[in-house]
Amino acid sequence: MKTLSDYMEMPYRMEVVEDKEEGGFVVSYPDLPGCITCGTTVESAVANALDAKKEWIEVAFEEGITIPEPDDLKEYSGQFKLRIPRSLHRILTEHSKREGISMNQYCVFLLSRNDAVYTK
């Protein structure tokens, strides 16, 4: 049986989102349902999140709740193929050249920037 220390050392994914309406930052652990906290700065929010994770796991032990393990990234290769119109391919190539990076790096940048918009 795993201990509190075992679970605290596991690489649970932490999500930090700026709260533009209230100010500060909200932090959650997607693999630990309902484990959420906040802080006025990123640093304080992360420190609060570590405390919240510990308390969440302690309560789960006390209540006999099954504690899920972190999502395993091994099943994801980090690659996928995408067919796009030639005109878009040209535009992406031109933009990446202007930035001085590969088209692959440029597309990763665009995807990550857009993903940040949708995760808020």
Side-chain angles (χ1 to χ4, degrees):
M1 180 162 178
K2 291 186 175 75
T3 66
L4 173 63
S5 295
D6 294 330
Y7 283 106
M8 290 300 292
E9 290 176 14
M10 290 183 177
Y12 285 96
R13 181 170 51 99
M14 179 188 295
E15 290 185 352
V16 181
V17 177
E18 183 178 7
D19 186 345
K20 292 187 180 191
E21 290 181 20
E22 299 289 325
F25 298 85
V26 177
V27 183
S28 64
Y29 291 94
D31 295 322
L32 303 175
C35 186
I36 187 170
T37 189
C38 61
T40 54
T41 65
V42 171
E43 293 80 11
S44 67
V46 168
N48 292 343
L50 294 173
D51 290 339
K53 177 177 141 183
K54 182 179 179 197
E55 291 177 26
W56 192 100
I57 294 167
E58 287 173 340
V59 169
F61 273 131
E62 291 171 10
E63 301 290 324
I65 297 169
T66 302
I67 302 170
E69 294 197 8
D71 187 20
D72 187 6
L73 296 178
K74 290 178 185 172
E75 65 185 77
Y76 303 101
S77 70
Q79 298 180 18
F80 68 96
K81 293 183 179 185
L82 182 65
R83 295 202 179 274
I84 59 175
R86 290 178 186 210
S87 59
L88 178 56
H89 190 178
R90 181 185 69 225
I91 291 168
L92 292 171
T93 301
E94 290 170 355
H95 287 203
S96 63
K97 282 181 182 176
R98 260 188 255 133
E99 293 294 324
I101 58 177
S102 72
M103 191 172 77
N104 187 62
Q105 289 174 314
Y106 186 67
C107 290
V108 169
F109 162 73
L110 291 174
L111 287 168
S112 63
R113 187 174 76 177
N114 200 33
D115 186 54
V117 170
Y118 286 109
T119 57
K120 289 184 179 180

